[in-house]
Amino acid sequence: MLFHIKQVHTPENCPYGTGGSSSLRDESVAGVNLKAAYGAFMEHEIYMVVEADDLENLNKFLLPGMKVCTTTITPVSAEPLPRWNA
């Protein structure tokens, strides 16, 4: 399953110069595949598309950012909804 993830941190907790945005995630977690990562850096927001089949592993992937940012996890799909015939 694909997830769109948004991480937001305060300027005081910005990882710039101390590991960068990748320090807010653990890419070594098995079963989680980072597809893309983008930053709105001046807004202190990171956006990712991640593939994972297990919520526990997804949470482990995001654990490094737990104390310095808030995270929104949204399931997403590239497939359109099936046609509904009323």
Side-chain angles (χ1 to χ4, degrees):
M1 179 175 259
L2 291 175
F3 297 92
H4 177 267
I5 297 171
K6 176 182 175 183
Q7 288 182 315
V8 180
H9 56 270
T10 64
E12 298 79 22
N13 289 321
C14 185
Y16 177 72
T18 58
S21 59
S22 62
S23 69
L24 301 176
R25 60 184 179 263
D26 181 356
E27 294 184 40
S28 73
V29 175
V32 180
N33 183 11
L34 177 65
K35 298 289 191 177
Y38 305 95
F41 297 110
M42 296 309 224
E43 295 178 17
H44 300 278
E45 297 179 355
I46 307 301
Y47 301 93
M48 295 175 273
V49 176
V50 172
E51 185 174 20
D53 290 328
D54 183 280
L55 184 59
E56 182 177 346
N57 285 341
L58 184 58
N59 285 333
K60 287 178 185 176
F61 173 82
L62 297 168
L63 195 58
M66 180 69 149
K67 291 188 176 186
V68 296
C69 62
T70 58
T71 302
T72 304
I73 303 170
T74 305
V76 295
S77 174
E79 300 297 319
L81 289 174
R83 188 167 179 90
W84 183 52
N85 296 320

